Amino acid sequence: MPDTSSPLRPDSQGLVTAFDVASGSWLTAGQTGSRLERLPSLEGRLLVSSEVLEGAANDFGLAVPSRRPSVVLQPGSEQDVVHMVRFARAHGLKIGARGTAHTMFGHTQVDGGIVIDMRKLDRIYSIGEDRAEVDAGVLWSELVSRAVARGRTPPVLTDLLEMSVGGTLSVGGVSGTSYRYGTQVDTVLELRVVTGEGELVSCSPNRNQELFNAVLAGLGQCGIIVRATLRLVPAPARVRLYGLKYASHEALIQDELTAIRDGRFDYVLGVMFPGPDGKWEHLMHSASYLAQPDDERMLAGLSHQQSNIKDVPYLEWVNSLSQQLGELKRLGQYVRPHPWCDLLVPSSRIASFVSDVLREVAPTEISRVFPLLLYPFNRQHITRPLFRVPDEDTFFLFDILRTVSPETRTAAQMVAHNRLLFELNRSWGGTHYAICAVGCSHEDWKRHFGSAWDAFAAAKRRYDPDGVLTPGPGIFG
């Protein structure tokens, strides 16, 4: 029998034609095995070229070792996902979905298993007055562009729109509008999901609710999202942006809390980064969607030192970070490790916690593009049970967006520091945003999900009884 582990012939595209059950190998044209099994009928392709496998071996964070899958599915339809999940289950193979892999700690990795390239499912089916129906592989930027052309927008948009719909719905999806609308998973009306049994199921708050709740912010443990129906709201033509500078992070935090209590702004975000003198700068980025906002009323009672006010088109504003990241990619900085730390911190602790972090994080690890971020939340708008938050009326997502360079600590050192911050925050009732670069054991995850754990574990047993889905986070061992 030929050595199926040998490099593919130079003219091979790595297209899989069969599976050798005896060796667990995927075979390409011209290769043979001792116990062949036909592949399921697919509209897309199964690929094993080195380039494709390496492309699916890492995530954005680059904080854990590379883990190559054995094959990558480029689906031509949601039925391809159904067929391959069933095939994986029948042969004891792990399988997981990958959108743009904007996670920090290997959550999209499927070592030796099957990765589904969800970006190949990228159809926008409809955009109406109050909802849009899209494939999971659609980028938010693609949806927003189409929706805004019709005067509509999703109410919650991550600052980086070059992420897939299914990807952010699997973890949460946060924004400066989240204090008003919750996370992106709080704005989902319906899903089509492929379970770990290979069943295609529609679910919503009123239909198959157990699966709906287990998939949104469920890190792909109970099902793979293949299509979503999302809420839309009227989109402003232009927004007024307020850049407010503060003397301290304490003053910034207090004004963020003031702003979300009275709802004066449509978007609120705190930003901190080192200035030219090496000292930390503290800014509040806020926006009003009103056609003609009253600047005096908008800024009344706030304690900022300086303000910068300008009007920009809505579509230009929501795409602004994507443009900045394009420059980072050009300079080669985007491919450095990014062991980001993302913690949900009670408001009662946030000021002192930020003080600790500002003393411990080196300015060389932070930039204007990847700074420290403070997203304020009102707990009442968090409706999905698996997006775990502190038990206070208001809290913050505190993002420490570190980048590894020759002048900084190593990725491993940053991850170790993340763990210390994670444990400190957890000690007073804080949680973490699941993209965070911190290694979590089964017990850590069980503690993270808290009162939602029993229902989550029951859904896992029901919808993925053989444990084939999404091994990367290590939630169920």
Side-chain angles (χ1 to χ4, degrees):
M1 184 180 81
D3 180 6
T4 58
S5 66
S6 63
L8 297 173
R9 298 189 306 274
D11 61 338
S12 172
Q13 298 300 305
L15 182 63
V16 173
T17 58
F19 182 71
D20 182 13
V21 177
S23 64
S25 301
W26 304 94
L27 307 180
T28 59
Q31 293 180 317
T32 61
S34 60
R35 188 178 161 200
L36 299 185
E37 181 163 335
R38 292 175 62 88
L39 300 175
S41 177
L42 299 173
E43 297 175 48
R45 306 186 301 171
L46 278 174
L47 300 175
V48 291
S49 68
S50 295
E51 181 181 2
V52 170
L53 298 183
E54 283 300 323
N58 296 291
D59 62 9
F60 173 75
L62 294 173
V64 296
S66 177
R67 300 188 180 107
R68 280 174 46 139
S70 64
V71 72
V72 171
L73 169 67
Q74 295 182 341
S77 68
E78 58 190 22
Q79 284 300 320
D80 282 0
V81 180
V82 168
H83 294 321
M84 285 311 300
V85 170
R86 290 177 179 175
F87 190 89
R89 186 185 182 203
H91 295 285
L93 302 172
K94 301 293 186 180
I95 186 168
R98 175 189 175 93
T100 60
H102 200 80
T103 53
M104 309 303 142
F105 212 68
H107 293 166
T108 62
Q109 293 176 328
V110 187
D111 191 19
I114 305 168
V115 164
I116 306 170
D117 180 2
M118 297 301 292
R119 282 289 291 124
K120 300 302 179 181
L121 298 181
D122 60 356
R123 182 178 173 185
I124 297 176
Y125 295 91
S126 64
I127 295 177
E129 291 297 302
D130 66 344
R131 66 192 59 202
E133 185 178 2
V134 302
D135 276 338
V138 168
L139 297 183
W140 286 97
S141 59
E142 297 164 349
L143 171 58
V144 170
S145 179
R146 290 272 296 275
V148 169
R150 300 193 58 176
R152 295 293 181 266
T153 184
V156 182
L157 292 172
T158 53
D159 290 324
L160 176 60
L161 295 184
E162 303 306 312
M163 293 189 285
S164 68
V165 168
T168 63
L169 296 186
S170 295
V171 293
V174 301
S175 167
T177 64
S178 287
Y179 89 88
R180 179 171 289 173
Y181 295 106
T183 65
Q184 287 182 322
V185 298
D186 297 299
T187 69
V188 179
L189 303 177
E190 187 174 359
L191 297 171
R192 284 167 68 89
V193 173
V194 178
T195 70
E197 292 183 300
E199 298 297 324
L200 180 61
V201 182
S202 294
C203 56
S204 71
N206 302 312
R207 181 183 180 193
N208 297 314
Q209 184 187 52
E210 181 189 28
L211 181 60
F212 188 73
N213 285 337
V215 169
L216 292 173
L219 287 90
Q221 298 303 298
C222 298
I224 295 170
I225 299 169
V226 292
R227 193 183 302 189
T229 302
L230 307 167
R231 181 184 174 194
L232 297 180
V233 297
R238 300 181 68 82
V239 298
R240 181 159 295 176
L241 303 180
Y242 298 85
L244 309 180
K245 187 172 183 179
Y246 290 85
S248 67
H249 67 272
E250 291 91 349
L252 165 63
I253 288 167
Q254 285 305 309
D255 275 7
E256 285 193 73
L257 290 172
T258 295
I260 70 168
R261 287 190 187 111
D262 61 31
R264 68 180 71 188
F265 298 116
D266 293 284
Y267 176 100
V268 180
L269 172 63
V271 180
M272 293 171 285
F273 52 82
D277 58 0
K279 295 181 179 179
W280 291 101
E281 295 190 8
H282 314 279
L283 302 175
M284 183 162 75
H285 291 168
S286 51
S288 173
Y289 296 170
L290 295 174
Q292 304 225 339
D294 181 336
D295 294 338
E296 184 175 349
R297 184 183 71 82
M298 288 291 179
L299 302 180
L302 301 182
S303 60
H304 57 283
Q305 295 180 316
Q306 301 175 27
S307 63
N308 178 39
I309 304 172
K310 63 180 180 179
D311 293 341
V312 299
Y314 177 74
L315 197 56
E316 176 184 321
W317 174 56
V318 296
N319 278 296
S320 58
L321 182 57
S322 298
Q323 297 169 4
Q324 295 178 55
L325 293 186
E327 178 63 14
L328 288 185
K329 291 178 181 179
R330 189 186 68 81
L331 296 173
Q333 298 179 16
Y334 198 75
V335 295
R336 293 176 178 173
H338 299 94
W340 291 356
C341 188
D342 310 89
L343 303 174
L344 292 152
V345 185
S347 288
S348 62
R349 299 283 188 167
I350 188 64
S352 61
F353 191 47
V354 171
S355 294
D356 292 341
V357 170
L358 292 180
R359 285 192 297 267
E360 296 172 8
V361 171
T364 53
E365 299 172 1
I366 302 297
S367 68
R368 283 179 174 266
V369 179
F370 292 143
L372 307 178
L373 301 176
L374 286 166
Y375 291 93
F377 281 80
N378 285 315
R379 194 173 190 274
Q380 62 181 332
H381 298 302
I382 303 301
T383 62
R384 301 272 64 87
L386 295 186
F387 190 81
R388 306 302 293 170
V389 301
D391 190 18
E392 289 192 6
D393 290 342
T394 59
F395 60 92
F396 286 81
L397 172 60
F398 184 25
D399 290 323
I400 307 168
L401 309 186
R402 293 194 274 202
T403 302
V404 174
S405 71
E407 297 79 29
T408 67
R409 286 176 277 195
T410 65
Q413 289 170 329
M414 290 183 184
V415 169
H417 186 229
N418 288 351
R419 181 72 197 195
L420 295 176
L421 298 176
F422 165 86
E423 291 179 354
L424 177 60
N425 182 51
R426 189 168 65 171
S427 71
W428 54 55
T431 62
H432 76 289
Y433 187 25
I435 67 170
C436 181
V438 60
C440 286
S441 66
H442 170 73
E443 289 303 317
D444 285 329
W445 284 116
K446 189 173 181 179
R447 183 172 173 182
H448 168 77
F449 287 108
S451 61
W453 174 258
D454 287 345
F456 191 25
K460 178 71 170 178
R461 291 191 295 271
R462 177 178 178 183
Y463 295 107
D464 185 25
D466 295 317
V468 300
L469 295 180
T470 319
I475 296 174
F476 293 96

